[in-house]
Amino acid sequence: MPIEEVESTAEDIEEMEIRGAATIAAAAAEALGAQAAASDAPDPDAFEAEMRRAATELYETRPTAVSLPNALRFVLQGMEGKTVEAKRESIRSAGRRFRNDLETAQERLGRIGANRLRDGDVIMTHCHSTDALATVEHAVSDGKHIEAFVKETRPRNQGQITASQLRDMGVPVTMIVDSAAHRYLNDVDHVLVGADSIAADGSVINKIGTSGLAVNARDRGTPIVVAAQTLKLHPGTLTGHTVEIEMRAETEVISADDRADIGEITVENPAFDVTPPRHIDAIITERGQFPPESIVSLMRELYGDMDEEPWTDPE
Ligand code: RI2
C-alpha cells in the first residue's frame, strides 16, 4: 500500500511550499482524492486502511491550522460503498465537493466582509490570508477605494504575498516592519486578519504577532476584524482540548552563521499566537458576522457530534 500521492503534498505542507489554512485544506483533500484514484488496494478493508494512513500522514504535517483535520474528516466521512471501486469514487467525489464548498464559502465570506469596508477605508494586514483578501477583493469590485498598511510579518515575510496580491487588485500599499504597527494604527480604519483556528471561547489562533497587534489596535481604538470560514472552527475545543502552537525551525529567525557569531543563545520560533475574544470586534464567516463570544453556537451546530479523528485505526 504505497501512499506516494500524499507524500509529496505532505512534504510541501511541512516545508510551507503549500501554506495558508484554506490552501492547505484544499491540497489535503486533493491529495486524498489522488491517493484513492491511484490505489491498488486488493479489497475494501485494505483500501480503508490505506486512506486512513494517507490522512494520518497529512494530519501530522502542521498542528495548528484546524482546516487540515477538518478537510480530512470531511473527505473520509464521505467514504461509502462496499467495493473498492465504490469507496474510491466516493472519496474522489467528497474531495471535489470539499474544494467546491471551500471556494463557495470564501466567495460568500468575501461578500459579507466587504460590507464592513467603506469607500476610502484604510486597512492594516498581518501575514497573508486568502479569507481576509477575499473581503478586500469584493469591496474593490464594488467600486470602493481601499488602501492598506501591510506588516511584513517576520520571520517568513508573508506580508510580501499580501502586498503583491493587493497591488494586483489596484490597492495602494504601504509596507511596514512589524514593530511600526502602533505608529500607524491611528491612520487605519480596520485591522483585518485571517485565522488558522478559532476556539470555542472565541479566541483566535493566527500568525505570531496577531495578539500584540490586537492589543495595540485596542489601545488606539481601531477595530480588529477576523475573516475566517467555518472550516477554521476547532471542534476539539468544544470538548476541552487546546490548540497546539507549532514551533518552527530556529533558522527561520537567525542564520546559523549569525547565531554562531553571537555565541550561546536560545532561539524560539512559535508560528502562531492566541488572541483572546475581548480584543476582537468581529469574526466574519460565510454564515455571517459573529461577535467572537457567540461563535460557540455556530461551532456546536456545525461540528457538535462528530468523530474527531476518523483516521485513527478503529481496532
Ligand atoms: P487563509 C496562515 O498561516 C496565516 O496565519 C493566515 O492568517 C492563515 O494561514 C489563514 O490563511 P501559514 O500557513 O486560510 O502562513 O485565510 O503559517 O488563506
Side-chain angles (χ1 to χ4, degrees):
M1 290 188 298
I3 51 166
E4 285 128 10
E5 300 297 324
V6 300
E7 271 164 7
S8 67
T9 302
E11 203 177 301
D12 285 349
I13 294 174
E14 216 156 55
E15 299 299 321
M16 291 181 71
E17 294 296 323
I18 297 173
R19 55 147 296 279
T23 310
I24 289 171
E30 191 170 354
L32 277 187
Q35 186 63 43
S39 172
D40 57 2
D43 58 64
D45 283 351
F47 181 84
E48 279 194 18
E50 183 177 326
M51 285 300 116
R52 281 200 299 274
R53 203 153 65 81
T56 304
E57 171 105 13
L58 291 160
Y59 173 65
E60 286 173 350
T61 52
R62 292 191 75 193
T64 305
V66 74
S67 52
L68 174 57
N70 283 348
L72 299 172
R73 191 180 307 110
F74 183 96
V75 176
L76 283 194
Q77 286 177 344
M79 179 159 56
E80 57 191 19
K82 290 195 164 50
T83 62
V84 169
E85 261 336 294
K87 286 181 189 295
R88 188 197 316 278
E89 205 25 63
S90 61
I91 286 273
R92 296 185 68 194
S93 87
R96 284 193 294 270
R97 219 165 43 243
F98 177 82
R99 282 180 287 132
N100 199 34
D101 289 356
L102 198 134
E103 263 175 45
T104 313
Q106 195 166 74
E107 163 77 19
R108 278 203 193 121
L109 174 158
R111 249 186 280 134
I112 293 166
N115 292 333
R116 266 194 93 99
L117 302 173
R118 291 152 306 180
D119 188 26
D121 272 357
V122 179
I123 58 165
M124 183 179 284
T125 65
H126 184 63
C127 200
H128 169 256
S129 155
T130 55
D131 281 349
L133 288 185
T135 70
V136 183
E137 195 170 10
H138 277 272
V140 169
S141 67
D142 290 346
K144 296 174 188 169
H145 178 80
I146 307 291
E147 296 191 13
F149 283 93
V150 171
K151 292 175 77 229
E152 66 179 349
T153 319
R154 282 266 295 145
R156 296 184 71 101
N157 296 317
Q158 291 110 320
Q160 292 178 13
I161 310 171
T162 301
S164 154
Q165 294 186 356
L166 286 171
R167 282 308 301 140
D168 288 347
M169 294 176 205
V171 171
V173 166
T174 304
M175 172 80 79
I176 56 171
V177 296
D178 295 314
S179 38
H182 194 254
R183 178 188 168 96
Y184 290 102
L185 275 168
N186 272 352
D187 305 329
V188 166
D189 299 293
H190 314 265
V191 169
L192 177 62
V193 296
D196 293 80
S197 278
I198 295 178
D201 69 348
S203 296
V204 168
I205 296 89
N206 193 46
K207 184 52 41 108
I208 189 79
T210 305
S211 62
L213 177 62
V215 170
N216 278 336
R218 268 285 173 273
D219 179 55
R220 293 292 205 198
T222 310
I224 175 145
V225 176
V226 177
Q229 307 179 40
T230 55
L231 184 66
K232 318 287 177 62
L233 301 179
H234 198 301
T237 59
L238 282 172
T239 50
H241 294 283
T242 51
V243 180
E244 183 184 341
I245 300 293
E246 176 182 2
M247 302 299 287
R248 294 193 59 85
E250 297 165 8
T251 48
E252 287 185 347
V253 177
I254 185 166
S255 72
D257 287 350
D258 286 349
R259 189 174 174 174
D261 286 347
I262 294 169
E264 188 64 27
I265 54 165
T266 303
V267 178
E268 294 262 310
N269 184 18
F272 302 100
D273 63 21
V274 182
T275 303
R278 67 180 184 280
H279 290 153
I280 296 161
D281 289 88
I283 298 176
I284 297 165
T285 76
E286 76 278 15
R287 298 286 201 108
Q289 175 179 293
F290 292 79
E293 293 82 2
S294 73
I295 206 78
V296 64
S297 48
L298 182 62
M299 201 181 279
R300 282 220 177 85
E301 181 192 327
L302 295 174
Y303 297 101
D305 30 50
M306 37 132 249
D307 177 3
E308 280 182 23
E309 296 190 349
W311 46 88
T312 49
D313 201 328
E315 269 112 57

